[in-house]
Amino acid sequence: MEVILLDDIEKLGLRGEVVNVARGYARNFLLPRRLAEAATPAKVAELQKRDEQRARHEARSSDQAQQIADVLGKTVLRFEVKAGPTGSLFGSVTPTNIADELWRTKKIRVDRRKIGIDTIKRIGRFEVPIDLFQDVQATVNTHVVPEGGELPSDEELAAMEAQEHGEPEAPPADEAAEPTLDEVPATEEPVAEPADEPATESDPSAEAEAEQPAPEATEETA
């Protein structure tokens, strides 16, 4: 069954494309969720007309593409999206989103199929490559920011991604320098050096007798 996608769907196609899918998949998933509509002849003709109009605004020569590339190189796109505590998006940023935002903010039309990403599913800073013309490519800095917040530092973003994947966080530099007990290599017990004069145990009774005063001598009587 042929349908027209109303949204970008990973591994299926971009918004506005006509794709052939299983009838059950269309009726049970795509159509009820308004992710696609039936590809009637009238809808397909309307879609083709719209694509032709968009193509008129795309780069049509190498020099024009280079001028567009210079503008895009100075452009920073910003998307505010809902995200979880580890930075994972409740949705995604797609090539169509990027193409629509370039048209809205810069009135630059690019072919969505030539945007070099599939989908962005995490907050962060991304360099998105776009093929504008033969041998002419631009890179657009794209910031995906949590809704109502600011973008964390690169170190914080890496820690959030590691937390999502269950990886232990790296210890601070001071703690990392000190080995744990398990990491300390086993060494032979030091052998005590012999003393110059071996110590001997004293007899308590002998010490007691030595401390008693000697009896006074008495004269024998006849």
Side-chain angles (χ1 to χ4, degrees), residues 102-205:
L102 286 175
W103 177 253
R104 187 184 71 84
T105 58
K106 298 295 182 179
K107 289 297 181 283
I108 292 176
R109 183 71 70 188
V110 297
D111 189 340
R112 298 166 300 162
R113 294 166 295 184
K114 296 181 180 180
I115 296 177
I117 61 166
D118 291 329
T119 56
I120 297 175
K121 299 181 179 181
R122 298 190 57 79
I123 62 173
R125 301 171 181 84
F126 303 91
E127 294 184 351
V128 178
I130 302 175
D131 290 329
L132 298 174
F133 204 76
Q134 185 177 0
D135 298 329
V136 179
Q137 187 182 71
T139 299
V140 180
N141 288 317
T142 302
H143 294 179
V144 181
V145 183
E147 192 174 48
E150 294 297 330
L151 195 58
S153 65
D154 291 340
E155 292 77 9
E156 292 173 324
L157 289 171
M160 293 165 67
E161 186 171 2
Q163 181 182 356
E164 182 179 8
H165 290 85
E167 299 175 6
E169 295 184 10
D174 295 340
E175 296 181 7
E178 299 180 2
T180 61
L181 292 177
D182 295 337
E183 296 173 346
V184 177
T187 58
E188 297 181 358
E189 296 183 0
V191 180
E193 297 182 359
D196 295 340
E197 295 183 1
T200 57
E201 296 182 358
S202 59
D203 187 353
S205 59

Side-chain angles (χ1 to χ4, degrees), residues 68-76 138-141:
I68 294 175
D70 293 340
V71 174
L72 295 183
K74 303 173 184 178
T75 299
V76 178
T139 299
V140 180
N141 288 317

